[in-house]
């Protein structure tokens, strides 16, 4: 695998620096779809979901399932719009959408804030996941494994071809599926078949239900936050970020929609096998103080010795596919949107390439610092949800509600981060003190952030007339936009209900 990878790098070595962030030649929607699928799915999820089920039982999976409600919005509504505009980074949309000095302030702020802090937190999640693989396979300490993971990511990112990444992602998808099949078969062989999937619930029958007990007020509050708030407040963005590059890489809007739908369909189908194999592993493994780490240990214990090195490769390609995509996204913000746009507009190609690699090392190092402070993935992802709470509606509404200006989005991003940091100091003073702090924070931050950005929207200048002239040729019709949006939500709600009903039938 490494020899193949190095060979492809040398073949691509003369490509222009822009190919680090954008393909120079359009790719097939299948390749783009598999790359998008790899971006959304990784073996880190096995650790994450294992920790959720071990702590909350099956009802904890609503943290993930609620995201399915909005899963069709990006492919059906926003994928063709991003393909039509064809930006290098989604941050460039801000200069197009928000006129004047305020638009440039927002553009620079988001380039630094998202390209630096948010991307580092996202990388932290994947570094933590792969470090546990190294910790288990090579017997390393946890902090040393995190540092090695960071070094590997930096070295791997030294190639300079975004088009090459699509091809490698397709290869990695095959390896991922092979590893998932290997794990599933291995667990099946060391267990009692389907009966082992229920062995965990024989030991912990209270964790079998998809809904909290009638007297579990905290559980019902968490479920309310997941289904009633989180999916639209924290999850439902407009497909910018690493996803946008997949939509602009295909030939037309129809292919952009197809690539997005392919990723959704594969993710939902494979989610059944991922959860099933986690239940198998929980049924045959011993209890652990850190179930996320125990998942990795159990997987290596059940896989035959002859296949353990291949399993290590499987974990590696999942880690590198997702982490590199996120890293390239953050680097493009710091390099194209911050350095080249504001600090050195006449920078040479060589200089840009140097800054991009320096940014990769910086972001990875920052993620390593964060990762050594994190105990589990669940707390990290809930922190990320809180930082995004109340911001997502601005990203959706800005496409059709032209009264929203740069100050609206800027105030929303700043408020969510500020209230997230401030909330733990006031949790015990609020009516929500009897409920879990992390879910309460999502609710409170959503309410406060929404109030702030709405107030700012109506107190700042109205630029809707000039914005209307630029945006209408892109969206073509507000009515058509809303119709597609509602239809996408309907599909998502039906799919969410279908997934939950299927699992309810399986667990009967």
């Amino acid at each position: 695998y490494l020899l193949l990878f190095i060979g492809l790098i040398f073949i691509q070595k003369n490509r222009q620096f822009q190919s680090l962030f954008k393909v120079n030649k359009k790719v097939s929607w299948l390749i783009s779809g598999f790359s998008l699928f790899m971006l959304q799915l990784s073996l880190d999820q096995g650790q994450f979901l294992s920790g959720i089920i071990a702590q909350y039982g099956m009802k904890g999976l609503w943290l993930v399932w609620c995201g399915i409600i909005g899963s069709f919005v990006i492919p059906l509504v926003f994928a063709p719009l991003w393909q039509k505009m064809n930006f290098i980074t989604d941050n460039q949309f801000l200069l197009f959408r928000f006129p004047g000095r305020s638009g440039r302030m927002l553009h620079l702020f988001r380039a630094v804030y998202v390209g630096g802090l948010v991307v580092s937190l996202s990388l932290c999640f994947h570094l933590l996941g792969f470090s546990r693989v190294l910790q288990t396979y090579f017997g390393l300490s946890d902090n040393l494994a995190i540092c090695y993971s960071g070094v590997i990511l930096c070295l791997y990112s030294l190639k300079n071809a975004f088009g090459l990444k699509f091809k490698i992602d397709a290869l990695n998808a095959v390896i991922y599926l092979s590893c998932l099949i290997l794990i599933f078969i291995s667990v099946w062989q060391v267990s009692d078949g389907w009966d082992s999937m229920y062995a965990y619930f024989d030991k912990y029958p209270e964790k079998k239900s998809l809904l909290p007990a009638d007297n579990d007020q905290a559980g019902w509050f968490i479920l309310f936050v997941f289904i009633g708030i989180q999916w639209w407040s924290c999850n439902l963005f407009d497909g910018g970020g690493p996803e946008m590059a997949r939509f602009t890489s295909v030939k037309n809007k129809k292919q952009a929609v197809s690539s997005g739908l392919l990723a959704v369909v594969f993710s939902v189908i494979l989610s059944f096998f991922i959860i099933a194999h986690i239940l198998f592993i929980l049924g045959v493994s011993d209890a652990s103080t850190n179930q996320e780490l125990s998942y990795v240990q159990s997987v290596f214990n059940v896989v035959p010795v002859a296949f353990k090195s291949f399993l290590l490769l499987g974990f590696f390609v999942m880690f590198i596919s997702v982490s590199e995509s996120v890293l390239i996204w953050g680097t493009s913000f710091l390099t194209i949107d911050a350095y080249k746009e504001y600090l050195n507009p006449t920078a040479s190609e060589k200089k840009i390439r140097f800054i991009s690699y320096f940014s990769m090392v910086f972001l990875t190092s920052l993620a390593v610092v964060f990762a050594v402070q994190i105990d589990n993935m669940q707390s990290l992802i809930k922190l990320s949800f809180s930082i995004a709470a109340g911001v997502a509606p601005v990203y959706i509404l800005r496409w059709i509600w032209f009264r929203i200006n740069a100050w609206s989005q800027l105030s929303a991003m700043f408020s969510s981060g500020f209230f997230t940091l401030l909330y733990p100091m006031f949790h015990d003073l609020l009516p929500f003190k009897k409920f879990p702090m992390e879910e309460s924070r999502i609710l409170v931050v959503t309410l406060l952030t929404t109030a702030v950005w709405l107030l700012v929207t109506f107190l700042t200048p109205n630029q809707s007339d000039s914005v209307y002239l630029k945006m209408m040729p892109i969206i073509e019709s507000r009515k058509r936009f809303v119709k597609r949006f509602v239809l996408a939500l309907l599909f998502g709600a039906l799919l969410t209900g279908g997934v939950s009903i299927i699992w309810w039938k399986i667990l009967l």
Side-chain angles (χ1 to χ4, degrees):
Y1 177 85
L2 291 176
L3 288 175
L4 174 62
F5 171 72
I6 294 172
L8 288 173
I9 289 178
F10 277 104
I11 292 175
Q12 302 277 342
K13 66 180 180 179
N14 292 323
R15 295 296 178 92
Q16 295 179 348
F17 85 93
Q18 183 174 313
S19 61
L20 179 62
F21 307 121
K22 188 179 179 67
V23 294
N24 293 333
K25 183 179 180 181
K26 299 298 183 180
V27 301
S28 163
W29 67 270
L30 282 171
I31 297 295
S32 176
F34 276 115
S35 180
L36 186 60
F37 162 72
M38 292 300 297
L39 174 64
Q40 298 173 349
L41 187 71
S42 73
L43 279 177
D44 294 341
Q45 287 189 343
Q47 301 177 44
F48 172 58
L49 296 177
S50 181
I52 288 180
I53 296 175
Q55 183 174 354
Y56 298 105
M58 292 297 291
K59 62 180 178 290
L61 291 177
W62 286 105
L63 172 68
V64 179
W65 289 340
C66 70
I68 300 176
I69 300 174
S71 60
F72 288 99
V73 170
I74 293 176
L76 296 181
V77 180
F78 294 107
L81 300 181
W82 288 117
Q83 199 281 333
K84 187 175 183 178
M85 289 184 291
N86 198 30
F87 294 124
I88 296 178
T89 75
D90 64 291
N91 206 42
Q92 293 178 332
F93 174 68
L94 301 181
L95 296 177
F96 177 84
R97 168 62 176 82
F98 301 112
R101 186 176 180 182
S102 60
R104 292 183 64 82
M105 289 179 60
L106 173 61
H107 177 259
L108 177 59
F109 172 78
R110 185 169 182 263
V112 177
Y113 176 70
V114 174
L117 178 61
V118 175
V119 166
S120 296
L121 286 174
S122 180
L123 284 175
C124 174
F125 180 86
H126 303 295
L127 286 174
L128 191 62
F130 186 63
S131 70
R132 289 170 177 163
V133 176
L134 297 182
Q135 186 179 346
T136 300
Y137 193 86
F138 294 106
L140 302 175
S141 66
D142 50 357
N143 288 344
L144 185 59
I146 291 173
C147 292
Y148 279 154
S149 300
V151 171
I152 291 171
L153 177 59
C154 287
L155 293 176
Y156 196 92
S157 301
L158 289 179
K159 69 181 188 301
N160 184 24
F162 193 67
L164 172 62
K165 174 167 177 51
F166 279 83
K167 300 171 186 176
I168 293 179
D169 279 350
L171 171 64
N172 291 346
V174 175
I175 297 176
Y176 169 82
L177 294 174
S178 301
C179 283
L180 187 59
I181 294 172
L182 171 63
I183 295 171
F184 203 91
I185 293 175
S186 299
V187 177
W188 185 283
Q189 289 178 343
V190 301
S191 62
D192 298 324
W194 284 113
D195 292 337
S196 293
M197 193 171 75
Y198 303 96
Y200 179 69
F201 300 122
D202 291 338
K203 293 186 289 185
Y204 306 99
E206 73 280 2
K207 294 185 177 181
K208 187 177 181 179
S209 175
L210 295 180
L211 296 175
D214 293 340
N215 59 349
D216 184 6
Q217 293 185 357
W220 284 106
F221 176 79
I222 292 173
L223 185 63
F224 164 74
V225 171
F226 289 166
I227 299 179
I229 297 176
Q230 178 190 309
W231 71 269
W232 60 265
S233 174
C234 313
N235 287 54
L236 191 59
F237 284 85
D238 60 358
E243 293 93 340
M244 188 214 71
R246 275 73 186 167
F247 302 137
T248 59
S249 67
V250 296
K251 297 178 182 179
N252 53 52
K253 294 186 290 185
K254 183 178 179 180
Q255 289 195 2
V257 173
S258 299
S259 65
L261 291 176
L262 177 68
V264 172
V265 171
F266 263 82
S267 297
V268 172
I269 293 175
L270 285 180
S271 69
F272 288 95
F273 296 94
I274 293 172
I275 295 174
H277 96 272
I278 290 173
L279 293 177
F280 278 125
I281 289 174
L282 288 172
V284 300
S285 62
D286 296 327
S288 171
T289 54
N290 188 335
Q291 185 57 51
E292 294 173 357
L293 177 59
S294 178
Y295 166 83
V296 179
Q297 295 171 339
S298 299
V299 167
F300 277 106
N301 286 336
V302 299
V303 170
V305 175
F307 293 99
K308 288 187 177 181
S309 57
F310 179 71
L311 182 60
L312 175 65
L313 176 62
F315 276 108
F316 169 74
V317 298
M318 295 309 100
F319 158 70
I320 211 67
S321 290
V322 182
S323 299
E324 190 186 21
S325 294
V326 175
L327 185 60
I328 290 175
W329 177 45
T331 300
S332 68
F333 275 30
L334 297 180
T335 304
I336 301 296
D337 294 314
Y339 177 78
K340 191 174 190 300
E341 181 71 25
Y342 297 100
L343 298 180
N344 192 359
T346 60
S348 65
E349 177 182 328
K350 183 177 180 180
K351 187 73 171 181
I352 292 295
R353 187 182 293 114
F354 172 78
I355 295 297
S356 67
Y357 293 147
F358 175 81
S359 299
M360 288 182 180
V361 174
F362 169 75
L363 291 176
T364 304
S365 301
L366 190 59
V368 168
V369 173
F370 290 153
V372 297
Q373 310 296 326
I374 301 296
D375 293 327
N376 61 79
M377 295 178 176
Q378 191 177 152
S379 61
L380 177 61
I381 199 167
K382 287 182 178 179
L383 175 64
S384 300
F385 283 153
S386 181
I387 291 176
V391 181
V394 181
Y395 281 71
I396 301 296
L397 293 173
R398 66 184 182 176
W399 290 83
I400 55 172
W401 186 20
F402 303 143
R403 183 65 176 84
I404 290 177
N405 55 36
W407 300 115
S408 307
Q409 183 170 331
L410 189 62
S411 63
M413 295 174 65
F414 179 80
S415 298
S416 62
F418 176 76
F419 292 136
T420 294
L421 296 177
L422 201 64
Y423 182 80
M425 294 184 285
F426 296 94
H427 176 66
D428 292 336
L429 303 176
L430 299 175
F432 304 106
K433 63 181 180 181
K434 61 181 180 179
F435 300 122
M437 193 273 289
E438 291 171 322
E439 285 74 17
S440 301
R441 180 168 58 186
I442 290 176
L443 172 59
V444 173
V445 172
T446 295
L447 294 175
L448 293 176
T449 299
T450 302
V452 168
W453 75 257
L454 282 175
L455 182 63
V456 169
T457 298
F458 290 105
L459 291 179
T460 49
N462 184 358
Q463 301 171 317
S464 58
D465 290 340
S466 60
V467 173
Y468 178 89
L469 296 176
K470 291 193 294 185
M471 289 298 296
M472 287 307 297
I474 301 297
I475 65 172
E476 298 177 1
S477 167
R478 283 174 170 169
K479 184 177 180 180
R480 184 180 181 185
F481 180 97
V482 173
K483 183 178 179 180
R484 285 189 175 184
F485 190 85
V486 173
L487 188 63
L489 289 183
L490 178 61
F491 287 155
L494 291 174
L495 184 58
T496 304
V499 169
S500 60
I501 291 173
I502 291 173
W503 272 110
W504 177 68
K505 290 287 188 180
I506 291 174
L507 296 172
L508 276 178

